[in-house]
């Protein structure tokens, strides 16, 4: 599959959107493309990853870990749910709690977390752990789907706008199977504005960029508009740099 082009660009956004539409039919192609795109973003902010230690926290079955390794990084997958690892996780994958990672302070040059923050009950403790395991001057990549975005309810979106319970029940009636996510258990209403305020209040990281992950234009501008950003950002990407000790 060809690359996604310049970031940001309309071509890139369309390629990602088409991949999302095919996710159920061809998940491998979808997640492999997302992994390449995400690692492209890391390298755009921090240079080539070859030879660097990368912690992929909550990386599921390991698409991003494999992409980092393909580019020469020393990448480790840390995933709390054995079911998410799938049948063939990358070698060396570790079952690990995101609140208590089995890594020494400053062990990673890059700490990566994609679409995990909305699945943890205590995002600030989770972020603190990402910071802890990143070396001073190292890069932290965090993205999450904010609750009021069109995809905030995940598999039962966009009906979450009418209430989580109603949306979940509708999904189960329509599909005949239980929904994967339950609000307050494994999915939480995380918002752009409060998250930005909390991160800005920290003294251990600098915000390199706060932007919409998938938008083709005005990626940082939309994040600066209160109210609107909660709906149109779709997925907030934070590029953080750990402050010197």
């Amino acid at each position: 599959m060809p690359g996604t082009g310049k970031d940001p660009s309309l071509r890139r956004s369309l390629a990602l959107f088409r991949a999302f539409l095919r996710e159920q039919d061809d998940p491998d192609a979808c997640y492999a493309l997302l992994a390449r795109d995400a690692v492209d973003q890391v390298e755009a902010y921090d240079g080539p990853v070859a030879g660097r230690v990368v912690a992929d926290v909550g990386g599921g079955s390991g698409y991003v870990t494999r992409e980092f390794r393909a580019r020469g990084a020393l990448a480790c997958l840390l995933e709390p749910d054995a079911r998410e690892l799938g049948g063939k996780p990358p070698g060396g994958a570790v079952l690990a709690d995101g609140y208590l990672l089995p890594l020494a302070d400053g062990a990673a040059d890059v700490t990566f977390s994609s679409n995990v923050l909305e699945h943890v009950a205590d995002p600030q403790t989770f972020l603190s752990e990402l910071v802890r395991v990143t070396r001073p001057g190292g890069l932290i990549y965090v993205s999450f789907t904010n609750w009021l975005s069109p995809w905030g309810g995940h598999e039962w979106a966009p009906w979450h706008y009418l209430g989580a319970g109603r949306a979940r029940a509708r999904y189960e009636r329509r599909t005949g199977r239980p929904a994967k996510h339950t609000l307050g258990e494994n999915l939480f209403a995380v918002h752009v504005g409060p998250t930005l305020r909390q991160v800005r209040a920290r003294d251990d990281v600098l915000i390199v960029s706060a932007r919409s992950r998938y938008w083709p234009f005005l990626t940082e501008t939309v994040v600066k508009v209160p109210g609107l950003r909660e709906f149109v950002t779709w997925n907030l990407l934070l590029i953080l740099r750990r402050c010197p000790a």
Side-chain angles (χ1 to χ4, degrees), residues 19-242:
F20 289 139
L21 294 179
R22 297 193 301 268
E23 186 262 343
Q24 293 295 318
D25 298 325
D26 193 358
D28 284 338
C30 174
Y31 292 120
L33 177 62
L34 285 173
R36 290 198 299 274
D37 185 77
V39 179
D40 283 347
Q41 289 178 319
V42 170
E43 293 194 322
Y45 285 102
D46 208 38
V49 297
R52 298 191 180 189
V53 176
V54 178
D56 179 12
V57 181
S61 56
Y63 288 94
V64 171
T65 294
R66 292 186 184 93
E67 183 62 26
F68 273 117
R69 290 180 180 178
R71 302 191 194 195
L74 306 172
C76 177
L77 171 62
L78 302 116
E79 168 59 47
D81 189 342
R83 295 168 297 182
E84 293 294 330
L85 288 173
K88 295 181 179 180
V94 177
L95 281 174
D97 187 335
Y99 295 138
L100 192 63
L101 296 171
L103 296 174
D105 294 358
D109 298 301
V110 176
T111 303
F112 182 96
S113 173
S114 175
N115 296 326
V116 177
L117 203 67
E118 71 267 34
H119 299 295
V120 298
D122 186 352
Q124 289 307 300
T125 297
F126 178 77
L127 283 171
S128 292
E129 189 67 351
L130 299 185
V131 175
R132 181 189 68 79
V133 303
T134 307
R135 66 168 176 81
L139 191 81
I140 303 160
Y141 178 112
V142 179
S143 79
F144 68 91
T145 304
N146 46 296
W147 175 247
L148 291 177
S149 77
W151 194 244
H154 286 49
E155 73 270 25
W156 23 273
W159 302 100
H160 64 295
Y161 288 129
L162 301 179
R166 181 179 298 176
R168 193 173 190 277
R170 180 188 183 278
Y171 173 87
E172 294 178 351
R173 287 196 305 270
R174 183 172 60 84
T175 65
R177 60 177 183 269
K180 179 179 179 179
H181 297 101
T182 300
L183 190 67
E185 294 183 10
N186 58 359
L187 181 64
F188 299 87
V190 184
H191 302 284
V192 174
T195 300
L196 287 175
R197 289 191 291 273
Q198 290 163 356
V199 173
R200 286 171 181 150
R202 302 183 67 103
D203 60 6
D204 52 4
V205 294
L206 296 174
I207 299 179
V208 177
S209 181
R211 51 168 289 184
S212 173
R213 182 176 176 182
Y214 303 125
W215 268 67
F217 49 83
L218 300 176
T219 57
E220 293 187 342
T221 301
V222 296
V223 173
K224 296 177 182 177
V225 183
L228 181 66
R229 63 190 175 193
E230 302 295 341
F231 296 92
V232 303
T233 298
W234 194 291
N235 189 287
L236 180 68
L237 170 60
L238 295 171
I239 301 292
L240 310 174
R241 183 83 60 188
R242 183 175 178 182

